[in-house]
Amino acid sequence: MENKTKAYETVFILSSKLDEQHTAALVTKFKDLIAANGTVDGVDEWGKRRLAYEIDKETEGYYVLINFTSAPAFTAELDRVYKITDGVLRSLIIRKED
């Protein structure tokens, strides 16, 4: 049985308390992780935005959207890395329609 790749998009919010270098390093880390396990189709950095509600006593966050294709099993690993990375307030991975 062949391993089919699917199209996904992920949005993650980084803490606004991080300096520009740390923020850029985290964005690069996630892009490289996705590229190593699939194909990055596009990266859209939305920048600092006001959060809809307070998260960990923060009212702003740095938003990043990445479109990618990968094997379905990789999304669990990506979610795990999001959860253990300091500076990530929230993350979401969605499978796109075929």
Side-chain angles (χ1 to χ4, degrees), residues 45-64:
E45 294 188 37
W46 297 343
K48 279 191 181 179
R49 303 251 174 145
R50 185 163 178 77
L51 300 172
Y53 55 89
E54 198 173 277
I55 302 173
D56 296 335
K57 299 183 180 179
E58 294 194 41
T59 58
E60 282 189 334
Y62 190 87
Y63 286 71
V64 181

Side-chain angles (χ1 to χ4, degrees), residues 26-38:
L26 284 177
V27 172
T28 302
K29 171 187 173 177
F30 293 125
K31 280 194 295 191
D32 292 346
L33 178 64
I34 292 168
N37 293 281

Side-chain angles (χ1 to χ4, degrees), residues 3-83:
N3 196 5
K4 298 260 183 178
T5 60
K6 304 281 183 189
Y8 295 93
E9 69 179 20
T10 181
V11 176
F12 55 93
I13 306 170
L14 300 175
S15 172
S16 62
K17 294 177 181 175
L18 300 174
D19 61 4
E20 288 183 27
Q21 289 178 329
H22 199 158
T23 300
L26 284 177
V27 172
T28 302
K29 171 187 173 177
F30 293 125
K31 280 194 295 191
D32 292 346
L33 178 64
I34 292 168
N37 293 281
T39 306
V40 175
D41 300 326
V43 178
D44 191 9
E45 294 188 37
W46 297 343
K48 279 191 181 179
R49 303 251 174 145
R50 185 163 178 77
L51 300 172
Y53 55 89
E54 198 173 277
I55 302 173
D56 296 335
K57 299 183 180 179
E58 294 194 41
T59 58
E60 282 189 334
Y62 190 87
Y63 286 71
V64 181
L65 168 75
I66 300 177
N67 292 299
F68 67 98
T69 55
S70 74
F74 169 66
T75 58
E77 173 64 14
L78 181 60
D79 192 43
R80 185 188 73 78
V81 173
Y82 281 147
K83 288 178 181 175

